Amino acid sequence: MCHKLVDHDNWTYTNPVAPKSTKTTLLSLFNGSSWNRNFKNNTTGKMENTAFNYSGFIQPKFLIDMLQRDDQAGFYDRIMVVCPPEISVPFQDLQVPMPADIVQFYAVFKAIRDLHQAGDIIRYTFDEEAKKTFAQYHDDLQDQKSSTDDENKRGHIVKGITHLVRLAGILHVMEQAFNAIAGNLPLTRDSWNTIISTTSLDRAFSIVSYCLNQKWALMPPSFSIDDPQRFLQTNANKIGKFLTCNKLPIPTSFAVQNHLVPPMPHPITGVMTKQPNVQTTLAFMNKLKDMGFGDVEQQSSQNKRQCNVFRKRKYNELNETCQNDLKKLKINTELYDQVFTNAPNPNMAASTSQQPSQPNASPSRSQ
């Protein structure tokens, strides 16, 4: 998985009108939605049902950066992470030829594709023993979820249950195809086994557990909002969106509706939550106030109810620390102050409305 494929958050700082995120497309495919695409030759391709799984490589630095971000859509919850220690391989070891009898992955994947495209949809199911084993694994993961208040971990565990089922099926299919090709046996639907055993399920659970622990080891520890720099680093994307949004001042409701609030600990319970509400949004605003970016005020809304708003300071009113923080967020003066530049001047509007209308003057003509 390339970080450029899934990193579609930074556009908001420089391009507020961006195309549909690739992450949204991948989420739809992962969840089984239909998929359409228009091609240059004026034809359209469509897949009615999808169960999209993808794999690839990524540099650990970008992986850690992704896991540090808030995840409103649950995209990163669905990624299985493996990041073993780096191994230094001497050049001479890279020159050792592979044994000729090793089965090529291309042949395995091609055989699986050809088999499944040869007729109706092949449906897989657990055998009776595997069903009982899955129930035990399911309950074990649910117990892990109940034992933590960390919303990120809870999301990972829920998706881990989905991964368990998918991975058991993938291992079952891969093993059959691999053994058939290695033994020069024919791959036909008549000999194909669609019943998933406990063996595949046990292997899948071991892999899912390993990947969950890998992900949690790479994730940053639960941060304290009392550490400004840690708070800034952990929530750089959301803070950047909040400070550059085109609303002045920013009501709590606007921040919630437009997903401008990072995961925050509830001010009363202290539980970290991904889904912002009025209390956590106000805590976020007060944190930015303490950092020096603006003030939190109460303002009457259209229905005459009092609501909390954040009124940010202009760039030249910020202290040196805040200006340096904006540099870390890659926000320049023009981008930060554009909301002040585009805001209408109420005094100017009032004075203009009081001017009497003037009749149109006839254009002068040269004699």
Side-chain angles (χ1 to χ4, degrees):
M1 177 180 57
C2 175
H3 64 277
K4 293 181 180 178
L5 175 67
V6 297
D7 185 7
H8 284 261
D9 293 327
N10 293 331
W11 61 262
T12 38
Y13 294 167
T14 56
N15 178 20
V17 183
K20 185 178 181 181
S21 169
T22 302
K23 287 196 297 189
T24 303
T25 302
L26 293 177
L27 280 171
S28 293
L29 297 178
F30 182 92
N31 293 330
S33 302
S34 61
W35 179 74
N36 300 309
R37 180 174 179 179
N38 297 322
F39 297 95
K40 292 182 179 179
N41 59 357
N42 295 324
T43 60
T44 301
K46 184 174 182 179
M47 296 170 60
E48 293 291 346
N49 299 291
T50 61
F52 183 65
N53 299 280
Y54 58 95
S55 62
F57 299 90
I58 187 172
Q59 298 177 36
K61 174 184 180 299
F62 294 107
L63 174 62
I64 293 172
D65 179 58
M66 283 163 37
L67 293 176
Q68 287 180 345
R69 300 179 187 179
D70 54 283
D71 189 16
Q72 292 287 345
F75 180 80
Y76 302 126
D77 290 351
R78 291 168 168 81
I79 296 176
M80 297 180 68
V81 171
V82 177
C83 188
E86 184 178 4
I87 299 176
S88 179
V89 181
F91 181 77
Q92 62 181 8
D93 292 346
L94 299 175
Q95 307 306 305
V96 177
M98 299 292 288
D101 58 346
I102 286 186
V103 176
Q104 299 295 317
F105 271 114
Y106 172 80
V108 175
F109 288 126
K110 183 178 184 303
I112 293 172
R113 184 199 65 183
D114 293 345
L115 180 75
H116 286 75
Q117 287 183 344
D120 295 334
I121 295 175
I122 298 178
R123 303 186 182 279
Y124 297 88
T125 185
F126 291 132
D127 64 23
E128 291 304 318
E129 184 181 356
K131 289 178 182 178
K132 296 177 182 178
T133 303
F134 174 75
Q136 295 174 359
Y137 286 149
H138 174 278
D139 294 347
D140 183 31
L141 290 170
Q142 287 285 8
D143 289 342
Q144 291 186 47
K145 175 190 169 190
S146 301
S147 64
T148 178
D149 291 329
D150 189 316
E151 285 295 318
N152 284 316
K153 288 187 176 182
R154 290 169 66 87
H156 297 161
I157 293 170
V158 170
K159 299 305 180 291
I161 297 174
T162 303
H163 288 148
L164 178 60
V165 178
R166 290 190 178 209
L167 193 55
I170 291 172
L171 293 175
H172 172 78
V173 169
M174 288 287 292
E175 183 177 21
Q176 278 195 91
F178 184 91
N179 290 337
I181 294 174
N184 292 319
L185 301 175
L187 261 180
T188 65
R189 289 198 166 210
D190 292 337
S191 61
W192 190 252
N193 181 14
T194 60
I195 307 299
I196 302 172
S197 68
T198 304
T199 302
S200 297
L201 188 58
D202 288 340
R203 292 172 179 169
F205 183 76
S206 297
I207 295 174
V208 168
S209 299
Y210 175 78
C211 290
L212 285 175
N213 288 322
Q214 288 269 297
K215 183 180 289 188
W216 296 338
L218 291 170
M219 284 173 53
S222 298
F223 70 91
S224 169
I225 63 173
D226 295 330
D227 183 351
Q229 290 307 307
R230 183 63 179 166
F231 177 77
L232 184 76
Q233 177 186 1
T234 306
N235 302 288
N237 186 52
K238 287 293 186 183
I239 294 175
K241 289 181 180 180
F242 186 88
L243 292 176
T244 57
C245 78
N246 59 353
K247 192 80 171 177
L248 188 71
I250 306 173
T252 51
S253 57
F254 180 85
V256 172
Q257 293 166 6
N258 290 273
H259 309 294
L260 301 179
V261 183
M264 291 286 295
H266 193 281
I268 298 176
T269 64
V271 175
M272 189 70 68
T273 175
K274 291 182 181 180
Q275 301 300 327
N277 52 42
V278 174
Q279 290 81 12
T280 57
T281 303
L282 180 58
F284 174 59
M285 290 179 171
N286 281 321
K287 183 58 185 178
L288 293 180
K289 171 187 173 182
D290 295 341
M291 294 172 69
F293 283 107
D295 296 294
V296 177
E297 305 171 354
Q298 282 205 334
Q299 177 176 286
S300 296
S301 59
Q302 292 180 349
N303 56 9
K304 297 183 180 181
R305 296 180 59 183
Q306 292 291 316
C307 67
N308 293 297
V309 299
F310 182 83
R311 190 179 300 279
K312 74 174 186 179
R313 298 188 177 100
K314 294 183 178 180
Y315 186 87
N316 59 11
E317 297 173 351
L318 298 175
N319 58 39
E320 184 178 354
T321 301
C322 287
Q323 292 181 359
N324 288 333
D325 287 341
L326 290 178
K327 291 179 182 178
K328 296 176 184 177
L329 296 172
K330 299 180 181 179
I331 299 175
N332 58 33
T333 309
E334 293 75 17
L335 182 60
Y336 179 81
D337 275 346
Q338 68 179 358
V339 67
F340 299 105
T341 305
N342 299 333
N345 187 332
N347 295 328
M348 180 63 72
S351 61
T352 302
S353 63
Q354 295 173 4
Q355 296 292 331
S357 59
Q358 299 291 338
N360 294 331
S362 301
S364 60
R365 296 183 180 180
S366 58
Q367 299 298 327

